[in-house]
Amino acid sequence: MKPTILLHGGAGSMKKMGDVRAKRYRQSLRDAAALGMTMLSGGSSALDAVEASVVHMEDSGAFNAGLGSCLTAGGCIEMDAAVMDGAQRLFGGVAAVPGVANPVRLARLVAETTPHCLLAGEGAAALARQHGLVFRVDFPSQERLDEWRKKKQRLEASADNDLSSRLAAMGGVLGASEEDRVVDAEPPVDGSQEGDGSEPQQRGDVDLGHDTVGAVALDASGHVAAAVSTGGLWLKLPGRVGDSPLPGAGLWADDDVGAAVATGTGESILRALLSKEVVDRLNEGPEAATRAGIAAVEERFGVGQAGVIAIHRDGRVGFSFHTRGMGRALWRLGMEEPAAAIWPDEPWDRPVTAPSL
Ligand code: GLY
């Protein structure tokens, strides 16, 4: 069995992601996969590997998780995260937790040190304090606060009184809004307008419109695991919890079959029980299973809602999304370096080896 890690940096509209930013985002995905593979190749468990990769993405600030989390309507950070180990169906999640640097570590503590599966809010934060987890003093970052102010102004200026359509109209949900589809019909060609990264931001460059980070892995002992972490939706109501910390919705892992992690609009994903749906279909092949999962979401809730990645217990991987983009990275033991991609139909940018069967 070749240890393998597959991760994503969120499905979404990737609205006006410039080439420089896309390059950094891609490198962050690669670095997260490299960290997971370092652990797997050193004999660590799949659970250790997915946790380490997600911690890296939480710390990077490039994703809607940890440092990069989006803000609630009140301008606060409330994060959701979860881990699941396929060997024993060990599950731990945290919901609407403030301040803690790495909610995924806290989710693992819930699984391993409490009799519970899911802790929320201040109770979860208290567990983090009890175990000496780091709390960020730089939460929320100035960049996120500036973004929050702009989004809030747009929301307040909107004539539409329905919360869902108001959020959709200003990009507060993750699916491609009508504006995204028209304005960003073509993905940028990576590297075509490369700069040194010091140029001023392009119009809208800050609004990446992508969601959640997640990872699935297979270790040398044949165990699978999944981990997920998110800041949720921009301008969500305080206390709102999405799909990510809910078993079967945001993630699922079962050594008998494989593991999956979802990303996108939680209100749709959790009603589709997307990750469980995909794992239940994994013996049809991970590519077919992930496509079927997204098709089921689309049939019920429309386009631009979600993405999902999955790993079969035999090491085959699959992913699918119907948003404009979904950053993803793969490293299987035997590959020289991690492969990454963002856009639909974009091939992996490094050679990918087959799983040994
Ligand atoms: N998928 C993350 C959320 O909706 O919160």
Side-chain angles (χ1 to χ4, degrees), residues 4 17 64 89 113-114 133 199 281 287 296 318:
T4 302
M17 180 187 250
N64 176 14
R89 294 235 186 134
T113 71
T114 81
L133 291 196
E199 64 272 45
R281 289 173 171 269
E287 289 178 6

Side-chain angles (χ1 to χ4, degrees), residues 119-134:
L119 288 186
E122 269 311 313
L127 184 73
R129 278 184 219 103
Q130 190 186 324
H131 287 271
L133 291 196
V134 172

Side-chain angles (χ1 to χ4, degrees), residues 14-208:
M14 305 291 185
K15 195 175 175 185
K16 302 177 187 68
M17 180 187 250
D19 290 344
V20 173
R21 199 140 185 177
K23 193 173 181 184
R24 287 196 197 123
Y25 175 73
R26 206 178 282 268
Q27 189 56 45
S28 301
L29 291 167
R30 257 195 250 292
D31 291 346
L35 202 59
M37 181 48 72
T38 301
M39 305 208 59
L40 289 171
S41 58
S44 295
S45 69
L47 185 60
D48 290 337
V50 291
E51 182 190 3
S53 290
V54 169
V55 164
H56 183 84
M57 291 189 279
E58 288 175 337
D59 288 343
S60 104
F63 306 95
N64 176 14
L67 180 61
S69 290
C70 60
L71 309 189
T72 67
C76 299
I77 284 184
E78 293 183 0
M79 298 164 290
D80 301 336
V83 297
M84 187 165 183
D85 179 11
Q88 312 137 34
R89 294 235 186 134
L90 185 76
F91 182 91
V94 290
V97 66
V100 65
N102 297 114
V104 73
R105 282 202 204 288
L106 184 54
R108 187 161 177 183
L109 282 173
V110 171
E112 293 182 339
T113 71
T114 81
H116 307 302
C117 285
L118 189 56
L119 288 186
E122 269 311 313
L127 184 73
R129 278 184 219 103
Q130 190 186 324
H131 287 271
L133 291 196
V134 172
F135 279 74
R136 281 198 177 274
V137 289
D138 53 349
F139 256 0
S141 67
Q142 195 55 50
E143 183 188 18
R144 284 294 183 260
L145 276 172
D146 293 346
E147 201 172 348
W148 173 77
R149 268 186 213 102
K150 280 189 219 156
K151 285 179 185 293
K152 186 103 174 145
Q153 280 165 6
R154 283 174 63 191
L155 186 61
E156 283 164 0
S158 163
D160 192 337
N161 281 327
D162 173 69
L163 180 65
S164 309
S165 52
R166 286 168 68 188
L167 285 173
M170 47 71 72
V173 293
L174 301 153
S177 66
E178 200 54 44
E179 183 195 10
D180 295 336
R181 285 195 287 275
V182 173
V183 175
D184 289 336
E186 295 299 325
V189 178
D190 195 28
S192 63
Q193 301 162 24
E194 202 51 85
D196 64 1
S198 61
E199 64 272 45
Q201 282 183 333
Q202 301 298 305
R203 183 176 70 92
D205 199 27
V206 75
D207 184 2
L208 298 183

Side-chain angles (χ1 to χ4, degrees), residues 80 174 211-212 230-233 236 240-244 262-267 269:
D80 301 336
L174 301 153
D211 167 62
T212 307
T230 187
L233 300 184
K236 62 188 180 183
R240 176 265 186 192
V241 175
D243 60 297
S244 298
T263 163
T265 306
E267 283 70 8
I269 294 170

